[in-house]
Structure formats: structure tokens, C-alpha cells
Amino acid sequence: MILDHFSEWMHFHTRLSDNSVYKYTRAVNTVSHEMQSQQVIRKSIFDMNLVELDVAIANIFINPQFVKKNTTGNNMYSNSLKQYRYFYLDTSDDDASFEPIVQSLSASNLTQTEKESIIKARIGQGQYRMSLLSKYGKRCIVTGIDNVKVLVASHIKPWSVCENHERIDSENGLLLSANLDKLFDCGLITFGKTGKLFVSSFVGSENEKRLNISETITVDLKASAQLMDYLSYHQDVLFVKGYR
């Protein structure tokens, strides 16, 4: 059962006590049942692919009952869901789950050019990528790497949960080298309002050294109000702080 695998994964990857692992595992299960009963989600979290999970978490986090429960529980429920998302990413290879969204775009009333722009933006291509390369001077905002072959136009709010206009909005993007893009996508790094880099403990101190990243780094986000709104989503919904 996937819930047992999640529990085993937490035992291996965190410094949580057995009791805390039990509470976090139970929290995800409780949220799944309660949100199904309220018809916020249509099936168990444990039966979802990545796109379904991201959409579910986005909807759950704004549900009034969940917000109240999470606040009372000192954010244990939101933290448990974010950790479950990272567990899923760490143990699954699930790119095909984007296909239904792509098919829905093909059946929509958008022009062919609009469809192509939105689809290309999912993989950081097209005008979306060109806009970010221009904005950040063809350099990774953290490392300064300027080889465009290893630079990724990374969505801040995931493409899967965006409205179509958000999918091609360059304010919903950062230019990162490939390894940092993957960390950002998994919620293992994020950025504060001043551009301060925050690093999840799941990265590990030795990997921080290998990647030459730390929370002493501050970057120029070239931030706008729109970018900060997207970044707030990333901080609140995706970033897995972990346990330092």
C-alpha cells in the first residue's frame, strides 16, 4: 500500500520520530478522506498521478475547512501534503499525466498559435523561454551560468495548475540551470521576497556543498508584483522546508 511506502520513505529521509512519522502519514490519509467527502477531490490522493495531485493540493489548500484544520494543527496538514508530493516526485516517473491537459487544449477554441505557445511553455520553450532569457541576460539567476543549453525556463506556479494565460506569462518564470530547476520544481528550493535562497533539508548538507548553494545566497529576481504572487504560491504550496 502506498501509504506504507510513504511512511517507510519518511523514516529513511527525515529525522522525525516514529510518532511524528505516524502523525504525518495519518494526516495525509485524513485529508484525503475528508476532502473526498466534501467533493473537493474525486478520488483518493493515493490514486492520483502528478498532475491530479498538484491540482488537488491547490484546491485543498484554499478549502475553508482545511484552512481551519491546518491552522489549528500548526500547519501539520499542509506540511504533510507537501512532503507527500515530494515523496511522489522522488519515487515516480510520471510525465504522461500531462497528456489529458494537452488534449484538452487541442479541443479548445484557442488558435493554433496560442495552443503551440502554451504547449511549448510546458517544457520551457518558445516565446516563454525567449522572454526569460532576455529578462535575466541569459544567465542562471543563482549560479550565473551562461551556457543556454543548460538553462531552463522554469515555471514558478506549476504549468499543470495554471490558467492558460499564466502558462505563458514570463512573470511566472525564473531562469535556472538544469539541476536547480529540478530542485525548484520538486519544492526543494525557493526564494524569499528579497531574493534570499531557501534550501530544504531534504537536499542534504553534502549536496549543498556539491551544488555550491546555501541560504547565504541572495539573487536578483527582477521581481514584479505578479512574480511575487506566483512565488508566494511556490512558498506556500510547494516548498518542503524539511527538518534542519
Side-chain angles (χ1 to χ4, degrees):
M1 181 179 177
I2 195 167
L3 198 59
D4 294 329
H5 293 317
F6 178 48
S7 178
E8 292 170 4
W9 179 89
M10 290 192 70
H11 276 295
F12 183 79
H13 288 279
T14 74
R15 296 192 296 269
L16 291 173
S17 66
D18 290 349
N19 185 51
S20 294
V21 168
Y22 170 74
K23 287 181 178 179
Y24 271 72
T25 305
R26 186 179 63 179
V28 177
N29 197 37
T30 298
V31 170
S32 181
H33 284 300
E34 290 183 352
M35 293 297 100
Q36 282 185 88
S37 68
Q38 290 194 45
Q39 298 185 329
V40 176
I41 57 177
R42 295 186 177 182
K43 61 182 179 181
S44 168
I45 285 172
F46 308 110
D47 294 330
M48 293 181 179
N49 62 37
L50 177 58
V51 168
E52 292 170 332
L53 181 61
D54 275 348
V55 172
I57 290 175
N59 290 329
I60 289 169
F61 273 37
I62 60 174
N63 176 265
Q65 178 175 316
F66 174 82
V67 171
K68 181 178 180 181
K69 186 183 190 74
N70 191 48
T71 301
T72 304
N74 197 28
N75 297 323
M76 179 182 71
Y77 295 95
S78 59
N79 287 335
S80 65
L81 284 173
K82 288 194 280 187
Q83 290 199 41
Y84 179 78
R85 179 182 186 269
Y86 176 53
F87 155 76
Y88 186 98
L89 287 166
D90 192 43
T91 57
S92 304
D93 184 11
D94 185 22
D95 192 58
S97 59
F98 289 93
E99 189 58 31
I101 300 178
V102 173
Q103 290 177 355
S104 70
L105 289 172
S106 298
S108 69
N109 293 324
L110 295 168
T111 67
Q112 187 61 32
T113 299
E114 290 170 330
K115 294 174 187 176
E116 290 177 358
S117 295
I118 292 168
I119 292 170
K120 285 181 178 179
R122 183 180 78 80
I123 55 174
Q125 298 297 330
Q127 185 57 48
Y128 177 77
R129 174 178 172 81
M130 296 302 295
S131 296
L132 287 174
L133 285 170
S134 175
K135 179 178 181 179
Y136 293 112
K138 299 182 180 179
R139 290 179 179 272
C140 169
I141 64 170
V142 177
T143 65
I145 288 174
D146 61 359
N147 185 328
V148 295
K149 294 297 184 182
V150 297
L151 296 179
V152 180
S154 184
H155 280 85
I156 301 172
K157 181 179 179 181
W159 187 92
S160 59
V161 299
C162 285
E163 301 293 336
N164 283 333
H165 71 277
E166 295 175 321
R167 288 170 173 157
I168 56 174
D169 183 3
S170 60
E171 293 304 300
N172 184 25
L174 297 172
L175 194 64
L176 298 168
S177 55
N179 50 3
L180 295 183
D181 162 70
K182 183 60 68 173
L183 292 176
F184 188 71
D185 184 58
C186 291
L188 297 181
I189 61 171
T190 195
F191 301 91
K193 293 180 179 179
T194 63
K196 175 180 169 59
L197 177 68
F198 291 94
V199 184
S200 169
S201 66
F202 283 107
V203 174
S205 58
E206 290 304 311
N207 284 328
E208 288 184 34
K209 294 175 185 176
R210 294 172 183 129
L211 291 162
N212 197 28
I213 60 173
S214 72
E215 294 195 346
T216 63
I217 293 174
T218 299
V219 305
D220 182 7
L221 296 170
K222 300 189 184 301
S224 64
Q226 299 99 306
L227 187 148
M228 293 313 303
D229 284 343
Y230 289 123
L231 200 52
S232 291
Y233 181 96
H234 190 273
Q235 295 161 358
D236 295 342
V237 180
L238 304 181
F239 179 57
V240 188
K241 185 176 181 181
Y243 307 92
R244 288 191 177 274

